[in-house]
Each structure stands twice: as structure tokens, then as C-alpha cells.
Amino acid sequence: MKAHLACARMEFRVALTYRTSYLSSFVMMLLQIYLLTVVWSAFYDGRDEVDGVSLSTMTAYATLSTLQYTLVSPWRSSPIDQRVREGKVAVDLLRPIGFPGQMLAGQLGWASAAVPVLLVALPFALLIGAGQAPASTAAAVAYPLALIGALLVNQLLGLLLGMVSFWTLEVSGALMAYRFVAQFFSGALVPLWFMPGPVRAAAEWLPFQATAYTPAALYLGQVEGYGMAAALAVQGAWIVALGALAAFVWSRARHRVMSQGG
Amino acid sequence: MPVIEVADLVKEFRRPKRQEGSFAGLRTLLTREQTVKRAVDGISFQVARGEMVGYLGPNGAGKSTTIKMLTGILVPTSGTVRVAGTVPWRDRARNARQIGVVFGQRSQLWWDLPLRDSLWLTGRLYDVPTARFEEKRRQFTKVLDLGSFLDTPVRQLSLGQRMRGDLAAAMLYDPSILYLDEPTVGLDVVAKERIRAFVGELNRESGTTVVLTTHDLDDVEELCDRIVLIDHGKVAYDGAVAELKTRYAPHRELVVQTDALESVEGAEVVRREEGKVWLRFDPARTPPAALVASVLARHEVTDLSIVEPELESVIHRIYADRG
Ligand SMILES: Nc1ncnc2c1ncn2[C@@H]1O[C@H](COP(=O)(O)OP(=O)(O)OP(=O)(O)O)[C@@H](O)[C@H]1O
Ligand SMILES: [Mg+2]
């Protein structure tokens, strides 16, 4: 555990060295939040509610999913394919801790570098009226849990996908397709409650909703009471299932390590 | 008791055969045809605790591939490796704690962060107690002269500085075995010397076992008593450096500074230049003392010396002769 924390801290520091991209991502984020409030206001077109969801809840959802996106995003899913291509896996395999654990720890460390940005962005979002307080005490408690769950599900999916590069190095196309599918079904663009029936059913059966929709919906009280526990349980189940699958895939990939160069 | 035991080790790299023509990429993905490259082809050797072995061979001989199997990075296709009681690829993490590795061509340091951070991580990864860590870091900072660049991001370091940093990271947790894969590649004479001195000292003081791969035979000449020479994935020679020389280069040369010398019995004139004559002889048949005496008896000599064959020229000869 100490070793994993140390790996996470290294990636955290690396992320901090890219301060300029930091600043621009911050500006882009605020701009996106603003634009999304404009878009959803136009969509509501003067109505107070659509399908029982108020405009303020909707804009708060858009803000929340934008903010979360800096932490949990399929675009930053895994460094593995690059490390395989450059032969850096050899170095990872010299360390006295497991490979998947190292990758996960590093990714979580990197993602956590976004937390300060979030803390600064939050008041701005509230200032332009795009935010909302948690719907209830239960929501306030459940949200951080769901966010950590989202982080894990997203990273486990990325880990699995990254490990495909032990079989074929031509993963960039598949990775691109994955990201669009994952982003759409996560509910980051359009919440599940506005998806048409069959699409929504598909989204509910896929793991991606656990990476964006679940925490945001819990926060805004769109999922309440027993539903909250169920949503967290679904997330937990995905973490267990994906974790087991990742361990299995790694046990196979282990024999396929080529470690190019040198 | 050998600490490293390698028996009948084989590594094959398989690649789907690249298809030509239309949809080549897709067909390459779907094909079952494979090209097989046998990089290591039945290697066996043993290394005793505290030994320093030069693991040599021409480019593409399979040296790095072997090292990667010894360190647990690669899973062998067949054969066995045991390192101090562990099977490296199976007990990878356990094995990692007892070995230090430096790949000259690939750094283990974190590119974007200061060297200090990489050392810190190493201490954490290997559970080095804080006091011990501080002591080690101070020691290496002094011996490897890291002081001036401890706080510089690794990507800004010169090759020699980076290599010293890598060595420090590899030895920070006192591993009993050190693998060096081309640790002096691209370094200047002074930097090479510093690294050799460091490794030699480790071996003398702590009894560290060293397996060294290099193309600079001065590294081997200075550090190793024993050589394992491989070619095309097979062991071509395994034994003492001195014996390799007598086997492949039995001749010595006597260099005589003299005005006139036509011929001497028991030796052959191989070169003449600026009043110097090079005489090649086989010390087994012509004792050096006798040869020197007979030269001195017949000629006016101002200077003379006997030249040992250099490992460089011996290895060169072996590579040139191979079929
Ligand atoms: N990942 C890989 N896939 C396919 N072939 C490989 C791979 N790695 C190495 N090889 C091949 O295996 C052979 C041995 O390579 P290796 O890197 O072990 O050589 P080496 O002895 O270290 O050479 P050098 O002195 O140039 O470093 C080479 O022919 C190389 O092309
Ligand atoms: Mg090599």
C-alpha cells in the first residue's frame, strides 16, 4: 500500500509539472460550463420542467458532469499502450509491486492533481448560477463515495483496454471508438433520464453510467433512498467484476510481454 | 553454491506475419501465420555469489533478452532460471527485491521529475527505513557525485549524469545481485571509469554479484574474471578471461627498438615502423626470457617490451571467425 501511494504521489507531481495545461484546462472548463447552461436554457425554451426535471437541476447536472470530467474521463484512461510501444513496461516490471496495481495507482495519482482545480472552479460555477447544493444530507454523504467509485470503474476499464496492447499494438482506432461510446453512455453529455427508452436500457446495463451519471444523479437527488444504495451497489459490483477481469487478463498478458528495444 | 542458475533457457518472439497487398493491416491482424525469432536458444550457465561475469556477444546475440529473463521481465519460452531460490518471472516481486538493474539504453528514473524524487520513490518501493535511506543517499551522492544535479529534472541530465542516477537508484536498497546491460554506452572515458570504480567497489565491499553486458571490453578487462560469450542465442565460450586469451590468441608480441633486425629464431617479424620491430611468438614454444636473451645478444637494443593481447582483439578475432 505504501509503495502504491508512493507511485500515486509521483504521478501527482508529474501532473503538477504541466502547469500551463493546467491553467488552460481550467479556463476551458469554465467556458464549457457557461456554454452548457446556455444550451440547456435554449432546450428548455421557457419551460420550468421537462420530464419532471427542472432547468436548474439540468444545468447543475451539466456543471457537475463537466467538473467530474477532469477527474474521470475515458480520454485519460491508460498509459499502457504507450508504455508497451516504447518498451517502458520493462521498467515497470522491475519494480517490486504488481503491474496493474502500479498503473492504477499512478492513474489515480494523476487524476487527483485535478482536485485543486475543482475546488477553485466550484465557486465560479456557483457564481454564474450553474451550480446547486447537494439535494440532501444523504446525497452529500453518498456523492464522494460515488465519485471514488466512478474513478475506479473508469480506471479499471482503461486498464483492461490498455492491456489489449499486449496482443496488438494497433489499438489507437479501437481506443478512439471506445472513448466516444464510453463518453456517450456515461451520461456525461446527456443524462440517462433524457435518453430514449432502449438507449437508456442499454446505458443502464453498461458500466459507463457508473463513471459519470451515478455520482451526478446522486448529488442532485435524482436517485433517492433505496435507489441510492442500489446505485452504489451497482458501482461496487462493477468494480469487483472489472477488477477480477483485469487480474485475469493480466495473468494472460504476462506471458505476452515482449519488452521491445535495448 | 551458485546464486544464478540458468538451464536450457529459450526465448522465442512470435509475431503475426505481416501481410502484403490490399487490406494488409486487417489481414495481419487476422492471420494465424507467425514469424518466430529464437533470440535465446538453449543457454545454460551458473554464477556464484560474489562473482563478476561479463556476458558478451555481438549485436543481436540475445544478451538483453537473457537479462530480461533473469530479471523476471520476460517469461521464458522454455528452460529454467533460478535466482537465489526464486523463479524470477513467477516470483517477480520477490526477485525484484534482491536485484538491482541498470539498462544503459533505458532509464528507470522519472523523466519529468528531479532525480531526488526517483530516489525517494525507490526508497518507498523497497521499504528502506528512513535513516538507512538518508545514509545511502548521502553515500551515493558523494561516491557518484550526484550533488550538483539531485534537483534537476531527469530529462535535463546528461547521459553520464543520468547513468549515475540510475546506478544509485538500482543500488539504494542493497540488492545482492546487480545486472548491468551496457552501463557505459555512450559515456566519456572519465564517466566510464567512475562507473567501473563504483561497481568494482560494490563487489569488493559488499560481495555484490555482478552480471555485466557491454561492448566496451575495457569494462570487462577491468571488472570481470570470467566471461560468458554468446552468439546466435547459444553459449560460445564460458570461462576465465585469461584462458580465452590463451585459447584464441596464444601469441605474444615482443616490441624491440633497434636499428637493424632481420630475423630471430622462434619468432616472426609482423611489423616494422620507425625503428621498431614487432616480433610475434608463442610463449609455450619460445620462452620469453630466451627470446629476449637471444635478441639482446645479437643486436643493439635501446628499448623493448612484451605486449599482452588485448581482449578487444581477441573478441574481434572470434567474431570475425564465426561461421
Ligand atoms: N520484442 C522482440 N520482438 C522480436 N524480436 C526481438 C524482440 N526483442 C529482441 N528481438 C530479437 O532477438 C534477438 C536478440 O536481441 P537482444 O536484444 O537480446 O540482443 P543483444 O545481444 O542484447 O544485442 P545488442 O548487443 O545489440 O544489445 C535480436 O535478433 C532481436 O532482433
Ligand atoms: Mg542489448
Side-chain angles (χ1 to χ4, degrees):
Chain A
M1 199 59 210
K2 197 172 99 187
H4 289 92
L5 273 177
C7 285
R9 198 160 140 197
M10 291 296 274
E11 284 296 350
F12 176 78
R13 287 185 204 168
V14 172
L16 289 187
T17 60
Y18 293 98
R19 285 205 197 92
T20 45
S21 77
Y22 225 78
L23 198 69
S24 67
S25 74
F26 180 66
V27 172
M28 292 301 291
M29 187 165 58
L30 288 181
L31 192 64
Q32 191 179 342
I33 289 173
Y34 174 72
L35 288 176
L36 282 171
T37 52
V38 172
V39 167
W40 284 110
S41 307
F43 174 81
Y44 270 68
D45 194 21
R47 285 168 291 182
D48 283 341
E49 274 190 16
V50 173
D51 293 346
V53 179
S54 68
L55 176 60
S56 70
T57 301
M58 191 50 236
T59 49
Y61 180 91
T63 302
L64 211 50
S65 67
T66 306
L67 293 176
Q68 284 173 185
Y69 214 62
T70 55
L71 275 179
V72 184
S73 138
W75 294 93
R76 229 199 244 150
S77 49
S78 171
I80 297 179
D81 60 311
Q82 198 191 341
R83 295 193 77 81
V84 170
R85 208 172 313 115
E86 294 172 3
K88 288 186 184 148
V89 197
V91 172
D92 302 328
L93 290 178
L94 287 176
R95 302 205 175 101
I97 55 173
F99 176 77
Q102 257 179 77
M103 294 295 114
L104 271 183
Q107 284 293 94
L108 294 177
W110 175 281
S112 61
V115 172
V117 180
L118 285 181
L119 292 181
V120 178
L122 212 58
F124 278 97
L126 290 170
L127 211 66
I128 57 172
Q132 233 176 45
S136 63
T137 320
V141 173
Y143 179 70
L145 289 178
L147 197 57
I148 292 170
L151 206 56
L152 283 171
V153 171
N154 181 53
Q155 289 305 336
L156 284 168
L157 284 166
L159 182 68
L160 273 167
L161 205 69
M163 285 198 287
V164 171
S165 43
F166 286 107
W167 279 267
T168 171
L169 276 175
E170 284 146 69
V171 287
S172 52
L175 215 58
M176 212 53 154
Y178 161 80
R179 283 166 177 158
F180 280 108
V181 170
Q183 187 175 21
F184 177 77
F185 283 106
S186 73
L189 303 173
V190 180
L192 264 60
W193 62 69
F194 281 157
M195 287 182 183
V199 180
R200 175 168 189 171
E204 274 169 353
W205 281 101
L206 288 170
F208 309 116
Q209 41 102 12
T211 67
Y213 175 76
T214 302
L218 289 186
Y219 182 97
L220 295 170
Q222 290 298 307
V223 178
E224 281 180 309
Y226 169 74
M228 268 189 181
L232 288 175
V234 168
Q235 253 191 346
W238 275 117
I239 292 169
V240 172
L242 292 170
L245 189 60
F248 173 74
V249 172
W250 170 242
S251 72
R252 295 276 132 151
R254 182 72 189 90
H255 292 261
R256 301 196 51 99
V257 173
M258 291 267 219
S259 160
Q260 327 212 54
Chain B
M1 249 301 269
V3 63
I4 300 173
E5 296 168 86
V6 178
D8 307 316
L9 192 61
V10 173
K11 181 68 191 181
E12 286 177 350
F13 290 107
R14 285 164 192 281
R15 280 267 155 83
K17 197 165 184 176
R18 217 159 245 294
Q19 304 288 313
E20 309 268 322
S22 48
F23 301 110
L26 189 64
R27 278 168 48 219
T28 302
L29 263 180
L30 298 176
T31 184
R32 297 224 154 256
E33 273 181 276
Q34 290 184 318
T35 49
V36 179
K37 167 80 202 171
R38 217 166 221 255
V40 171
D41 189 9
I43 282 181
S44 307
F45 65 90
Q46 300 191 332
V47 179
R49 200 167 273 290
E51 216 178 349
M52 290 211 267
V53 178
Y55 194 63
L56 308 182
N59 288 133
K63 302 180 295 296
S64 297
T65 307
T66 312
I67 301 276
K68 284 174 190 163
M69 286 191 279
L70 294 181
T71 51
I73 295 168
L74 293 178
V75 180
T77 305
S78 68
T80 56
V81 179
R82 289 192 81 80
V83 176
T86 69
V87 177
W89 68 270
R90 203 181 293 135
D91 315 320
R92 195 182 59 72
R94 192 142 67 88
N95 183 54
R97 291 183 178 278
Q98 57 185 10
I99 64 170
V101 187
V102 175
F103 288 117
Q105 313 268 19
R106 172 167 302 128
S107 181
Q108 299 171 53
L109 307 171
W110 291 57
W111 213 236
D112 297 309
L113 299 178
L115 174 58
R116 187 186 291 282
D117 289 5
S118 287
L119 297 180
W120 172 84
L121 176 71
T122 308
R124 282 305 169 107
L125 283 175
Y126 292 86
D127 298 314
V128 184
T130 313
R132 177 75 180 150
F133 172 78
E134 293 295 340
E135 180 194 330
K136 273 280 166 192
R137 197 186 57 195
R138 212 171 308 125
Q139 181 197 340
F140 287 164
T141 303
K142 187 153 155 266
V143 188
L144 291 168
D145 199 10
L146 311 175
S148 61
F149 53 88
L150 260 182
D151 292 302
T152 311
V154 172
R155 73 182 118 80
Q156 291 172 17
L157 298 184
S158 78
L159 189 57
Q161 293 173 329
R162 200 216 81 200
M163 209 73 91
R164 269 137 68 199
D166 258 308
L167 253 183
M171 293 309 298
L172 201 65
Y173 45 94
D174 295 310
S176 61
I177 303 165
L178 177 59
Y179 297 102
L180 301 169
D181 191 348
E182 303 197 37
T184 56
V185 68
L187 302 193
D188 69 38
V189 189
V190 180
K192 280 182 180 180
E193 197 46 54
R194 194 197 292 270
I195 287 191
R196 286 173 198 151
F198 179 76
V199 174
E201 174 132 339
L202 274 177
N203 174 263
R204 272 189 309 279
E205 310 266 297
S206 323
T208 310
T209 309
V210 180
V211 176
L212 165 71
T213 281
T214 181
H215 290 294
D216 184 336
L217 295 164
D218 289 341
D219 292 347
V220 179
E221 202 116 47
E222 186 160 325
L223 292 171
C224 308
D225 294 325
R226 179 178 155 210
I227 287 177
V228 175
L229 186 68
I230 63 162
D231 192 12
H232 295 301
K234 291 194 164 76
V235 176
Y237 175 84
D238 179 354
V241 176
E243 200 195 313
L244 184 77
K245 286 184 181 176
T246 47
R247 190 190 305 178
Y248 286 90
H251 294 98
R252 299 280 176 283
E253 277 175 356
L254 177 67
V255 186
V256 189
Q257 185 123 38
T258 180
D259 34 13
L261 188 154
E262 284 310 313
S263 66
V264 185
E265 191 159 346
E268 180 194 349
V269 177
V270 287
R271 201 168 136 204
R272 267 175 214 283
E273 215 171 82
E274 296 169 15
K276 280 194 205 166
V277 181
W278 276 259
L279 296 163
R280 181 193 284 167
F281 67 100
D282 180 352
R285 279 196 280 137
T286 315
L291 183 67
V292 170
S294 85
V295 169
L296 287 178
R298 258 161 265 169
H299 302 275
E300 186 84 7
V301 173
T302 46
D303 194 10
L304 120 181
S305 59
I306 292 185
V307 182
E308 292 277 322
E310 288 202 341
L311 187 58
E312 183 88 41
S313 63
V314 176
I315 298 281
H316 185 263
R317 200 119 123 229
I318 297 172
Y319 289 178
D321 285 354
R322 75 206 166 108

